[in-house]
Amino acid sequence: MPKKKSSWFGLGKAEETAPWTPDEAMVRAKFHHYDTDNSGTLDENEVMALAQDLWMAFHPKSKPLDFVHVKELTQELMKRVDGTHGNGDGLVDFSEFLPWYTKIAENHYKFVVANLEPEPPVTITKTAPVRATRTAPPPSTPVVSAGGGPGGLFPKM
């Protein structure tokens, strides 16, 4: 599958969908991870931590963003999550976070799958007779780790 051109968030328009969707309890746990003051909403400072983790999840080989770029990404996130899908109050509540996070998690899955590097070829040297044995086939869904802060932004798939 050809790689898609990515945007600021690393989101391409892949045709396939992720074979999983995060459940509400897992999304709620992520929301509470960023809601450091336990107010039930994410303010701009809390969304800044989310923005940094989001950047690292979609740009795992990059350096963390500097303050100016984190601020820009935070403003874009606030506009997308609260302004477009929310009530525009400058805060992100769970009802705004849930559909956004679910979509981003799906996009992250697509991003990871599209950017998997093939495994290097295996070289076998014959040193002694080897009995043929059956091995389990590789899993159909790759196990990947998302970048970001403690626990990463996304769960291992």
Side-chain angles (χ1 to χ4, degrees), residues 4-111:
K4 307 292 180 185
K5 186 172 182 176
S6 63
S7 69
W8 179 250
F9 291 103
L11 308 179
K13 298 208 178 203
E15 292 79 24
E16 74 280 358
T17 58
W20 62 274
T21 301
D23 65 11
E24 187 172 327
M26 192 276 301
V27 178
R28 190 172 297 280
K30 288 298 178 185
F31 180 83
H32 288 301
H33 169 78
Y34 292 104
D35 184 16
T36 56
D37 63 2
N38 297 314
S39 65
T41 59
L42 304 179
D43 62 26
E44 186 174 354
N45 289 327
E46 292 164 325
V47 174
M48 284 181 80
L50 172 65
Q52 183 66 47
D53 287 351
L54 182 64
W55 174 261
M56 294 308 296
F58 283 100
H59 302 90
K61 295 179 182 175
S62 295
K63 294 179 182 176
L65 292 175
D66 60 42
F67 180 78
V68 171
H69 289 100
V70 171
K71 190 81 168 162
E72 287 176 9
L73 184 54
T74 300
Q75 290 169 350
E76 181 66 24
L77 278 174
M78 293 297 284
K79 188 180 352 173
R80 285 186 181 201
V81 180
D82 182 46
T84 304
H85 302 292
N87 58 14
D89 65 355
L91 301 170
V92 175
D93 64 29
F94 184 72
S95 67
E96 297 164 341
F97 184 81
L98 177 63
W100 172 82
Y101 181 90
T102 301
K103 184 66 179 169
I104 290 296
E106 181 178 312
N107 286 335
H108 184 259
Y109 174 83
K110 292 175 192 177
F111 171 81

Side-chain angles (χ1 to χ4, degrees), residues 107-137:
N107 286 335
H108 184 259
Y109 174 83
K110 292 175 192 177
F111 171 81
V112 169
V113 169
N115 290 291
L116 285 177
E117 294 182 19
E119 292 185 23
V122 176
T123 305
I124 300 175
T125 57
K126 190 173 182 179
T127 57
V130 178
R131 267 189 15 196
T133 60
R134 291 183 178 246
T135 59

Side-chain angles (χ1 to χ4, degrees), residues 130-154:
V130 178
R131 267 189 15 196
T133 60
R134 291 183 178 246
T135 59
S140 59
T141 303
V143 176
V144 295
S145 174
L153 181 61
F154 304 106

